[in-house]
Amino acid sequence: MFVGREKQLAALAAALERTPGAVLVVGEAGIGKSSLVREFTRGVDALVAEGGADPGTAVQPMAGPSVMPYAPFVPVLRRLVREYGAELIPSGGRMGLARLLPELGELEEHPELGRARLFEEVLLLVERVAERRPVVLVLEDLHWADQATRDLLVFLLRNLTRPGVLVIATSREPLRLPVAEVLKVPPLGRDEVARMLGGTDGDQVPGLARTDIERIVARSEGNPLFAEALADAGTATPTTPASLRELLLAGAERLGRASLDVLRIAAVSSSVSRSALYEGSRTPHEVLRSVAGLDDLALDEALRPVVRARLLLVDGDGYVFRHTLIRDAVYDDLLPGERIRLHIRCAEARPELAADHWYAAGDRRRAFQAAWRAHRWDRVLELWDHADPEGHHGGEGMDHAAVLELAAKDALHVGDAERAEELASLALDEVGGDPLRAAHLLELRVAIRDLLGEDGLADLREAVRLAPREARLIGALANTLAWNGQDAEARARAEDALALGDARSLVTLAALTALEGDLATASRLHAEARAAAPDDDTVLVAYAGEADVLEAAGEHIRAEAIARRGMAQARRMGMARSRGAHIAANLAEPLASLGRWKEAREVIDAALALEPPPIHRAWLLMVLGTVAVWEGSLEEAAGVLDRARPLMRGRSRGYDSCLEPDLLEGRLAVAAGDVERAGRLADHVLSAHDVTLSRRYAWPLLVIAARTGRVRQAPPGMETTGRVQEAYRATFEAECGGSWPAAVAAWRSVGQPYALGQALVRAAEQDTEAARELLREAAAIAGRLGSEPLRREVEAAAASGRVSLTADPGLSARELEVLELVAEGLSNKQIAERLFISARTSGVHVSNIMAKLGVGSRVEAAALARRTGLL
């Protein structure tokens, strides 16, 4: 099934519009170059002539006499001749073209003109066919093409001057072709792979579990051919499907002995990257030299053919496989004895991965010892039965529950929340009657379940009951209480925890202080939290917290700066996938508020590509869905909402978190003009939730409820803190019959262009005298943002209020009368009869109107007049 590639298809379509031209489609084997070209040519109104090279024509550097030059062009030229005949060129092609197409008759030999004549006749044939019908020439797999074929192609590209000809070539590697646009085919994303395999919503694929899809996406790296082969072979086996092995090992079969040995060492060295908690896919140069036993010159000579064949790529002072499936195919091709010997040698050369290599070599005792020394707690747990019979694990005196806890923390650190929860729960079961250990494990499990979107308030209260003097536990309880709107108890608990030495409670106190409107003190508390942080995660939590409160208060520029600092710190700490993804959402949100939607999308895409924990993924998706609604990409927004809702189960972050998907759904319904759906959503929110407990989303949800006529006044107890919430409150009051100019002023002070544009439209409806100025400002905002919904609102308001959005064209009263009749579809004669003027005068008026409006037809004039409010 063909999926995705919208940008690439659009690029090919654009190239067809500006012929003559050429596009070189580049991508690795199996990435979908041919599928892309087929999908494009299937829908074009043009003659498509296709040809291609194959491995037998790859004559550089070893040309053979049996290889026929120009082979890729033969089927292309034959199609053109069969369609329109050889009579398009002088002598029926027998002076040159017959060299490639014997059916044209005996070749009239002209030794001094042979190649030149052939090239000229090919060019003449192509251009004369294009005079009759647009033509698309497709040349596949040019990486295998002979030099003669490339010479003919270059000649064509340099000499095609007439429109109607598009040449599309495909290649695994970039080629130097004049005037050709290079179009790279990227890997498919996760949802695209799922759809290609038969999924309906990017998640559910018949016959495949979610874990199967994740495994296929990871192993295929988005390559469609590889993904389909893995799905067909089933995902239970880690070996490479036989259907792929020949393709993957094609380059390796031509290597010399020394080069093949080095490739095999790299495959074994990097095979342990299959481990869940360690990424070992890169093989350092020193490791290759040590394991291969070669000096520098010999190793370089062995490596050069491997790199030239693009089996290994240079990565700093090491090497990585171009594709993990190539590595897997090389690894699977090893004999059992070879594999064991190489793993033993790699264990000695790579101490940080020794546990994995000893494990792969079958020596469980040495694997356990190496895992313990390296603090590889996941591997220690797996090999627990191979520990020293006396119970000595390196002198650290830790029992099995302690190792479970450490392994859970490792899993949490890299963002594997599901595995972390499993390990923490097992440890909790083992500690029995030790209240202090149980309390700390409860705290750990709450932190883990928070990433899964689950409420941990009850567990934290139990933890504090078990250990009432533990500062960190009290601080965690304070933070959760704050999320749930229980501010008084939250502040008291946070102050108690801080007095006992819990620096993280400064973040909770900062958030509570920001809610009171004191941003300066909140920022100082966040800075103090970072300075006193006992661990990396607390540092990052302080960055995330400060960015969040600044964004909530409308301080978008400051929020962006803090979030960027936090993301840089997360990368340095190796926590980009976990806490870094949290901060990425904090960065994307102010970018979205400021109208910098492309930047917001780039931040979100990069963070989602790391497959962050569920709740962080949900927050990223919430911002993405909001941007999609504002842009007008409503189908995308609906898909995002469907993906995010299951990730935001429970109330791990209080009412703000559980109401956020409802707000996105409401915005989507309003943008789609589905008033009934928006009203149902408002009814649900007001009946199922106490909106007074929400810090961020109560007022915007009340705006939707007011717009659908569900409420006319705010519930008792609604508070307003900060400029953003004040602007939403002003908007709510305007929806209930208040002043839209007041809402405009509020949003202008906040600096959120999309919300300002919406308020300007409504203000124009309320203030007809200022409508033109207000709507022209809103139209400029819509154009600058690229917002289709806002543009439609502006044009609808302009048409309804008969307001012109363009500069005054200077039409006279009589010309406006004539324009109105033109818009009714009347001819010049009919207009003359209606206005009691001559047909000649009527025609002069119409010509003047078209000139003043800058349009070329009566239809355009009528359309412009309606769109801009002239009529």
Side-chain angles (χ1 to χ4, degrees), residues 271-290:
S271 65
V272 294
S273 66
R274 294 170 179 170
S275 164
L277 296 181
Y278 195 92
E279 181 58 51
S281 60
R282 179 177 170 279
T283 301
H285 185 87
E286 289 298 318
V287 170
L288 281 181
R289 182 172 61 180
S290 173

Side-chain angles (χ1 to χ4, degrees), residues 479-491 511-516 548-549 551-553 653-657 659 690-701 717-722 724-726 728:
N479 195 36
T480 303
L481 289 166
W483 288 336
N484 283 275
Q486 300 179 39
D487 295 356
E489 185 182 358
R491 181 173 286 279
L512 293 168
T513 302
L515 287 174
E516 296 168 353
D548 186 59
V549 299
E551 169 62 17
R653 293 298 169 103
Y655 271 85
D656 277 350
S657 188
L659 286 177
D690 181 358
V691 293
T692 64
L693 296 177
S694 173
R695 306 300 189 192
R696 297 280 299 278
Y697 307 120
W699 281 115
L701 279 164
M718 283 292 300
E719 296 182 0
T720 307
T721 302
V724 172
Q725 297 306 310
E726 288 168 358
Y728 275 120

